[in-house]
Amino acid sequence: MLRDESGAFPAGPCLIRSEEWLQTPELAGLYECWLYSEDALQAERTLQRIYYRLRAASAALLESADSIWAAVTLLHTPELAVRPGKLKELQDVQLEALFAAVAANQRLGSDSRIDLLAPYPASSAEFAVQREFIEDVAEQTLGHAYAAACSIGARIAPGMPPAAAGEIARIADFLVLDGAAEPAAPEEPAAADFVLAAEAALAAVRRVKPAAVVLAAGAPAAGALADLYRIGMSGIFCSAGQRTEALLRAACLTWMARQDNTDTAAEGWL
C-alpha cells in the first residue's frame, strides 16, 4: 500500500520475491540441475529452459492485477551468494526474461512496467554497480524505452547502518526496508525493533533526499502499520493474504488522523 499526499493508503505496490519463482515445480528441478551441473553444455541448455520459464512467469505477472505497480527483486539466494559468477549469470537471464516480457506487451500497445530491486547492497558504490548492470541489460533489451519501463530501487535490511541507507538513497529511485531479511523472531519484539530501524533509516534518508520514496516489507511491516504511518513511511508491501486486513487498518488510521485534524481545528475556534 502506498501513502498518497492526502495521507491515505490506497491498494498499491506488489513485491515479487523472485526467489519464490525458483521454488515452483516448473523451475525448482531446472534450477538445481543448472546450479550443480558439471557439464557446460548441459548447464547452458538448462539455463535456456530457465529463461523461458522466467519469461512465462513475467508475462503472467504483467497480465495480473498486481502489475499496476510490481517491484521484482533481483534473484539472490544463499547458495548463489557464495558463487558470484553463477549469481550474475542467473540474474542476467532473469533480467532478459523480465524485459522481454515488457517489450512484448509494449508492442501490443500496453504501457507495462516492472520495477527492479537490487538485493541488499552494502554501500552506495555496490548499489551503483548493481544499477549499472540492470540498466545495461534493460537498454540491450528495450533500447531507449527502458527509462519509461522501470525504476531501480534498493532492497535493504533493517540492520543496515542508517548513514549507508542515506547514501544509497541518493542514487536509488526508491528504497524497500525488508523485514524478511532478518531472522524470525516473536512478532511483537520483531515489529518494535523493525519500527526503530525504519525510523532511523527514514530520518537518514530524508536528510539526504527529502522526497525519497521509502517503503517497508515483510511480516514486521504489516504488523506495525500504525507506527510506520506515524513516522511517515511512504507505504508498505504486503502479501495478498495480508492486504485486506492492512487496507482496513490503513483506512482506520487515515480516518483517525483526519478526525484529529478536525478536532484540533475546532478547538482553535473556541
Side-chain angles (χ1 to χ4, degrees):
M1 291 177 300
L2 187 68
R3 187 174 193 163
D4 66 19
E5 294 179 356
S6 67
F9 278 90
C14 174
L15 179 63
I16 306 299
R17 299 182 186 275
S18 55
E19 294 82 7
E20 295 177 359
W21 283 347
L22 296 180
Q23 298 167 10
T24 62
E26 297 83 2
L27 271 166
L30 290 174
Y31 170 62
E32 187 171 348
C33 178
W34 167 77
L35 186 62
Y36 299 110
S37 176
E38 297 181 359
D39 183 316
L41 183 58
Q42 181 188 27
E44 184 179 347
R45 289 174 176 169
T46 305
L47 192 61
Q48 186 70 9
R49 293 176 66 190
I50 289 173
Y51 164 80
Y52 286 115
R53 295 290 188 183
L54 290 174
R55 182 165 173 176
S58 302
L61 170 63
L62 289 172
E63 292 168 3
S64 72
D66 287 333
S67 66
I68 296 173
W69 179 14
V72 180
T73 65
L74 208 56
L75 283 166
H76 187 273
T77 65
E79 59 270 20
L80 285 172
V82 297
R83 304 177 69 176
K86 283 282 193 181
L87 174 63
K88 188 168 184 179
E89 192 177 2
L90 189 58
Q91 287 178 341
D92 186 47
V93 164
Q94 178 198 11
L95 289 172
E96 287 182 11
L98 284 165
F99 292 133
V102 170
N105 269 30
Q106 288 180 342
R107 286 193 292 272
L108 295 174
S110 169
D111 58 353
S112 298
R113 58 178 293 123
I114 294 180
D115 293 341
L116 275 298
L117 277 169
Y120 308 120
S123 65
S124 58
E126 189 174 313
F127 174 72
V129 171
Q130 293 176 337
R131 176 165 193 146
E132 184 177 6
F133 171 53
I134 294 170
E135 288 177 335
D136 285 347
V137 179
E139 190 161 6
Q140 291 166 16
T141 310
L142 296 170
H144 295 299
Y146 86 87
C150 75
S151 294
I152 302 171
R155 178 185 179 190
I156 63 175
M160 166 169 276
E167 289 305 307
I168 291 171
R170 290 182 187 273
I171 54 174
D173 295 325
F174 62 105
L175 293 182
V176 175
L177 188 68
D178 189 6
E182 296 294 296
E187 185 175 348
E188 290 186 10
D193 291 344
F194 184 80
V195 171
L196 290 174
E199 191 164 20
L202 189 62
V205 167
R206 293 277 162 81
R207 281 195 295 269
V208 171
K209 193 175 181 180
V213 174
V214 185
L215 301 111
L225 182 60
D227 288 317
L228 295 176
Y229 184 99
R230 173 182 56 79
I231 66 175
M233 211 74 171
S234 303
I236 69 165
F237 291 101
C238 56
S239 67
Q242 296 168 323
R243 187 169 296 175
T244 300
E245 179 185 355
L247 282 169
L248 290 172
R249 293 174 66 189
C252 289
L253 290 169
T254 301
W255 181 83
M256 289 166 63
R258 288 174 176 167
Q259 286 296 113
D260 288 344
N261 290 338
T262 301
D263 293 344
T264 301
E267 288 173 3
W269 286 94
L270 298 178

PDB file of all heavy atoms in Angstrom, residues 191-214:
ATOM      1  N   ALA A 191       8.379  -6.541  15.447  1.00  0.00           N
ATOM      2  CA  ALA A 191       7.737  -5.336  14.933  1.00  0.00           C
ATOM      3  C   ALA A 191       8.313  -4.090  15.584  1.00  0.00           C
ATOM      4  O   ALA A 191       8.575  -3.086  14.914  1.00  0.00           O
ATOM      5  CB  ALA A 191       6.230  -5.414  15.161  1.00  0.00           C
ATOM      6  N   ALA A 192       8.530  -4.132  16.898  1.00  0.00           N
ATOM      7  CA  ALA A 192       9.070  -2.971  17.613  1.00  0.00           C
ATOM      8  C   ALA A 192      10.477  -2.638  17.133  1.00  0.00           C
ATOM      9  O   ALA A 192      10.810  -1.468  16.889  1.00  0.00           O
ATOM     10  CB  ALA A 192       9.069  -3.238  19.116  1.00  0.00           C
ATOM     11  N   ASP A 193      11.309  -3.661  16.990  1.00  0.00           N
ATOM     12  CA  ASP A 193      12.672  -3.444  16.502  1.00  0.00           C
ATOM     13  C   ASP A 193      12.661  -2.935  15.070  1.00  0.00           C
ATOM     14  O   ASP A 193      13.483  -2.090  14.685  1.00  0.00           O
ATOM     15  CB  ASP A 193      13.477  -4.748  16.579  1.00  0.00           C
ATOM     16  CG  ASP A 193      13.757  -5.180  18.015  1.00  0.00           C
ATOM     17  OD1 ASP A 193      13.604  -4.336  18.928  1.00  0.00           O
ATOM     18  OD2 ASP A 193      14.109  -6.358  18.213  1.00  0.00           O
ATOM     19  N   PHE A 194      11.730  -3.445  14.287  1.00  0.00           N
ATOM     20  CA  PHE A 194      11.639  -3.025  12.888  1.00  0.00           C
ATOM     21  C   PHE A 194      11.281  -1.540  12.797  1.00  0.00           C
ATOM     22  O   PHE A 194      11.847  -0.811  11.966  1.00  0.00           O
ATOM     23  CB  PHE A 194      10.585  -3.864  12.163  1.00  0.00           C
ATOM     24  CG  PHE A 194      10.481  -3.567  10.693  1.00  0.00           C
ATOM     25  CD1 PHE A 194      11.383  -4.092   9.799  1.00  0.00           C
ATOM     26  CD2 PHE A 194       9.466  -2.752  10.207  1.00  0.00           C
ATOM     27  CE1 PHE A 194      11.295  -3.819   8.435  1.00  0.00           C
ATOM     28  CE2 PHE A 194       9.357  -2.470   8.861  1.00  0.00           C
ATOM     29  CZ  PHE A 194      10.271  -3.009   7.968  1.00  0.00           C
ATOM     30  N   VAL A 195      10.365  -1.090  13.628  1.00  0.00           N
ATOM     31  CA  VAL A 195       9.969   0.321  13.608  1.00  0.00           C
ATOM     32  C   VAL A 195      11.140   1.220  13.986  1.00  0.00           C
ATOM     33  O   VAL A 195      11.362   2.269  13.372  1.00  0.00           O
ATOM     34  CB  VAL A 195       8.769   0.561  14.547  1.00  0.00           C
ATOM     35  CG1 VAL A 195       8.488   2.052  14.702  1.00  0.00           C
ATOM     36  CG2 VAL A 195       7.531  -0.140  14.005  1.00  0.00           C
ATOM     37  N   LEU A 196      11.906   0.828  14.997  1.00  0.00           N
ATOM     38  CA  LEU A 196      13.075   1.616  15.393  1.00  0.00           C
ATOM     39  C   LEU A 196      14.077   1.709  14.238  1.00  0.00           C
ATOM     40  O   LEU A 196      14.624   2.784  13.960  1.00  0.00           O
ATOM     41  CB  LEU A 196      13.749   0.987  16.612  1.00  0.00           C
ATOM     42  CG  LEU A 196      12.985   1.083  17.932  1.00  0.00           C
ATOM     43  CD1 LEU A 196      13.702   0.302  19.028  1.00  0.00           C
ATOM     44  CD2 LEU A 196      12.815   2.550  18.351  1.00  0.00           C
ATOM     45  N   ALA A 197      14.308   0.572  13.565  1.00  0.00           N
ATOM     46  CA  ALA A 197      15.226   0.568  12.427  1.00  0.00           C
ATOM     47  C   ALA A 197      14.679   1.429  11.291  1.00  0.00           C
ATOM     48  O   ALA A 197      15.418   2.185  10.644  1.00  0.00           O
ATOM     49  CB  ALA A 197      15.457  -0.857  11.943  1.00  0.00           C
ATOM     50  N   ALA A 198      13.367   1.339  11.047  1.00  0.00           N
ATOM     51  CA  ALA A 198      12.741   2.119   9.979  1.00  0.00           C
ATOM     52  C   ALA A 198      12.827   3.608  10.267  1.00  0.00           C
ATOM     53  O   ALA A 198      13.109   4.412   9.370  1.00  0.00           O
ATOM     54  CB  ALA A 198      11.283   1.694   9.819  1.00  0.00           C
ATOM     55  N   GLU A 199      12.605   3.990  11.507  1.00  0.00           N
ATOM     56  CA  GLU A 199      12.645   5.409  11.877  1.00  0.00           C
ATOM     57  C   GLU A 199      14.042   5.978  11.677  1.00  0.00           C
ATOM     58  O   GLU A 199      14.207   7.082  11.148  1.00  0.00           O
ATOM     59  CB  GLU A 199      12.200   5.574  13.327  1.00  0.00           C
ATOM     60  CG  GLU A 199      11.953   7.010  13.737  1.00  0.00           C
ATOM     61  CD  GLU A 199      11.161   7.130  15.021  1.00  0.00           C
ATOM     62  OE1 GLU A 199      11.121   6.155  15.791  1.00  0.00           O
ATOM     63  OE2 GLU A 199      10.574   8.213  15.252  1.00  0.00           O
ATOM     64  N   ALA A 200      15.065   5.212  12.093  1.00  0.00           N
ATOM     65  CA  ALA A 200      16.446   5.685  11.938  1.00  0.00           C
ATOM     66  C   ALA A 200      16.829   5.778  10.465  1.00  0.00           C
ATOM     67  O   ALA A 200      17.443   6.763  10.025  1.00  0.00           O
ATOM     68  CB  ALA A 200      17.399   4.739  12.677  1.00  0.00           C
ATOM     69  N   ALA A 201      16.456   4.765   9.686  1.00  0.00           N
ATOM     70  CA  ALA A 201      16.780   4.769   8.257  1.00  0.00           C
ATOM     71  C   ALA A 201      16.049   5.899   7.537  1.00  0.00           C
ATOM     72  O   ALA A 201      16.637   6.609   6.702  1.00  0.00           O
ATOM     73  CB  ALA A 201      16.421   3.428   7.633  1.00  0.00           C
ATOM     74  N   LEU A 202      14.774   6.082   7.866  1.00  0.00           N
ATOM     75  CA  LEU A 202      13.971   7.112   7.212  1.00  0.00           C
ATOM     76  C   LEU A 202      14.531   8.498   7.489  1.00  0.00           C
ATOM     77  O   LEU A 202      14.623   9.339   6.590  1.00  0.00           O
ATOM     78  CB  LEU A 202      12.519   7.015   7.689  1.00  0.00           C
ATOM     79  CG  LEU A 202      11.498   7.881   6.951  1.00  0.00           C
ATOM     80  CD1 LEU A 202      11.414   7.501   5.484  1.00  0.00           C
ATOM     81  CD2 LEU A 202      10.129   7.749   7.606  1.00  0.00           C
ATOM     82  N   ALA A 203      14.930   8.741   8.734  1.00  0.00           N
ATOM     83  CA  ALA A 203      15.493  10.055   9.088  1.00  0.00           C
ATOM     84  C   ALA A 203      16.776  10.314   8.301  1.00  0.00           C
ATOM     85  O   ALA A 203      16.988  11.422   7.782  1.00  0.00           O
ATOM     86  CB  ALA A 203      15.768  10.106  10.590  1.00  0.00           C
ATOM     87  N   ALA A 204      17.641   9.299   8.201  1.00  0.00           N
ATOM     88  CA  ALA A 204      18.898   9.464   7.470  1.00  0.00           C
ATOM     89  C   ALA A 204      18.650   9.705   5.983  1.00  0.00           C
ATOM     90  O   ALA A 204      19.296  10.555   5.358  1.00  0.00           O
ATOM     91  CB  ALA A 204      19.773   8.221   7.661  1.00  0.00           C
ATOM     92  N   VAL A 205      17.691   8.972   5.421  1.00  0.00           N
ATOM     93  CA  VAL A 205      17.384   9.109   4.002  1.00  0.00           C
ATOM     94  C   VAL A 205      16.792  10.478   3.706  1.00  0.00           C
ATOM     95  O   VAL A 205      17.179  11.153   2.742  1.00  0.00           O
ATOM     96  CB  VAL A 205      16.413   7.995   3.552  1.00  0.00           C
ATOM     97  CG1 VAL A 205      15.837   8.296   2.169  1.00  0.00           C
ATOM     98  CG2 VAL A 205      17.125   6.652   3.552  1.00  0.00           C
ATOM     99  N   ARG A 206      15.852  10.921   4.527  1.00  0.00           N
ATOM    100  CA  ARG A 206      15.179  12.196   4.266  1.00  0.00           C
ATOM    101  C   ARG A 206      16.118  13.395   4.448  1.00  0.00           C
ATOM    102  O   ARG A 206      15.896  14.453   3.865  1.00  0.00           O
ATOM    103  CB  ARG A 206      13.951  12.320   5.184  1.00  0.00           C
ATOM    104  CG  ARG A 206      12.850  11.292   4.837  1.00  0.00           C
ATOM    105  CD  ARG A 206      11.973  11.780   3.689  1.00  0.00           C
ATOM    106  NE  ARG A 206      11.212  10.728   3.049  1.00  0.00           N
ATOM    107  CZ  ARG A 206      10.074  10.216   3.505  1.00  0.00           C
ATOM    108  NH1 ARG A 206       9.582  10.634   4.652  1.00  0.00           N
ATOM    109  NH2 ARG A 206       9.452   9.282   2.819  1.00  0.00           N
ATOM    110  N   ARG A 207      17.172  13.231   5.261  1.00  0.00           N
ATOM    111  CA  ARG A 207      18.166  14.309   5.372  1.00  0.00           C
ATOM    112  C   ARG A 207      18.909  14.487   4.049  1.00  0.00           C
ATOM    113  O   ARG A 207      19.275  15.589   3.675  1.00  0.00           O
ATOM    114  CB  ARG A 207      19.166  14.005   6.493  1.00  0.00           C
ATOM    115  CG  ARG A 207      18.660  14.291   7.887  1.00  0.00           C
ATOM    116  CD  ARG A 207      19.777  14.323   8.908  1.00  0.00           C
ATOM    117  NE  ARG A 207      20.421  13.024   9.061  1.00  0.00           N
ATOM    118  CZ  ARG A 207      20.030  12.120   9.943  1.00  0.00           C
ATOM    119  NH1 ARG A 207      18.993  12.369  10.750  1.00  0.00           N
ATOM    120  NH2 ARG A 207      20.656  10.963  10.042  1.00  0.00           N
ATOM    121  N   VAL A 208      19.103  13.402   3.363  1.00  0.00           N
ATOM    122  CA  VAL A 208      19.839  13.428   2.105  1.00  0.00           C
ATOM    123  C   VAL A 208      18.916  13.734   0.932  1.00  0.00           C
ATOM    124  O   VAL A 208      19.274  14.476   0.012  1.00  0.00           O
ATOM    125  CB  VAL A 208      20.537  12.063   1.889  1.00  0.00           C
ATOM    126  CG1 VAL A 208      21.130  11.962   0.489  1.00  0.00           C
ATOM    127  CG2 VAL A 208      21.612  11.843   2.930  1.00  0.00           C
ATOM    128  N   LYS A 209      17.709  13.166   0.974  1.00  0.00           N
ATOM    129  CA  LYS A 209      16.786  13.238  -0.156  1.00  0.00           C
ATOM    130  C   LYS A 209      15.363  13.360   0.401  1.00  0.00           C
ATOM    131  O   LYS A 209      14.672  12.358   0.584  1.00  0.00           O
ATOM    132  CB  LYS A 209      16.946  11.979  -1.012  1.00  0.00           C
ATOM    133  CG  LYS A 209      16.310  12.015  -2.383  1.00  0.00           C
ATOM    134  CD  LYS A 209      16.679  10.720  -3.120  1.00  0.00           C
ATOM    135  CE  LYS A 209      16.125  10.660  -4.512  1.00  0.00           C
ATOM    136  NZ  LYS A 209      16.496   9.386  -5.203  1.00  0.00           N
ATOM    137  N   PRO A 210      14.921  14.580   0.689  1.00  0.00           N
ATOM    138  CA  PRO A 210      13.631  14.777   1.382  1.00  0.00           C
ATOM    139  C   PRO A 210      12.432  14.120   0.712  1.00  0.00           C
ATOM    140  O   PRO A 210      11.505  13.697   1.398  1.00  0.00           O
ATOM    141  CB  PRO A 210      13.481  16.309   1.395  1.00  0.00           C
ATOM    142  CG  PRO A 210      14.890  16.821   1.343  1.00  0.00           C
ATOM    143  CD  PRO A 210      15.627  15.852   0.469  1.00  0.00           C
ATOM    144  N   ALA A 211      12.450  14.021  -0.608  1.00  0.00           N
ATOM    145  CA  ALA A 211      11.286  13.462  -1.318  1.00  0.00           C
ATOM    146  C   ALA A 211      11.443  11.972  -1.598  1.00  0.00           C
ATOM    147  O   ALA A 211      10.655  11.405  -2.366  1.00  0.00           O
ATOM    148  CB  ALA A 211      11.070  14.209  -2.624  1.00  0.00           C
ATOM    149  N   ALA A 212      12.405  11.312  -0.995  1.00  0.00           N
ATOM    150  CA  ALA A 212      12.660   9.896  -1.278  1.00  0.00           C
ATOM    151  C   ALA A 212      11.441   9.036  -0.945  1.00  0.00           C
ATOM    152  O   ALA A 212      10.743   9.273   0.043  1.00  0.00           O
ATOM    153  CB  ALA A 212      13.867   9.414  -0.483  1.00  0.00           C
ATOM    154  N   VAL A 213      11.215   8.024  -1.774  1.00  0.00           N
ATOM    155  CA  VAL A 213      10.161   7.041  -1.524  1.00  0.00           C
ATOM    156  C   VAL A 213      10.793   5.877  -0.767  1.00  0.00           C
ATOM    157  O   VAL A 213      11.688   5.210  -1.277  1.00  0.00           O
ATOM    158  CB  VAL A 213       9.540   6.541  -2.838  1.00  0.00           C
ATOM    159  CG1 VAL A 213       8.543   5.414  -2.569  1.00  0.00           C
ATOM    160  CG2 VAL A 213       8.854   7.690  -3.574  1.00  0.00           C
ATOM    161  N   VAL A 214      10.332   5.662   0.458  1.00  0.00           N
ATOM    162  CA  VAL A 214      10.871   4.592   1.299  1.00  0.00           C
ATOM    163  C   VAL A 214       9.701   3.732   1.763  1.00  0.00           C
ATOM    164  O   VAL A 214       8.806   4.208   2.473  1.00  0.00           O
ATOM    165  CB  VAL A 214      11.628   5.150   2.525  1.00  0.00           C
ATOM    166  CG1 VAL A 214      12.277   4.006   3.309  1.00  0.00           C
ATOM    167  CG2 VAL A 214      12.680   6.156   2.096  1.00  0.00           C
TER     168      VAL A 214
END
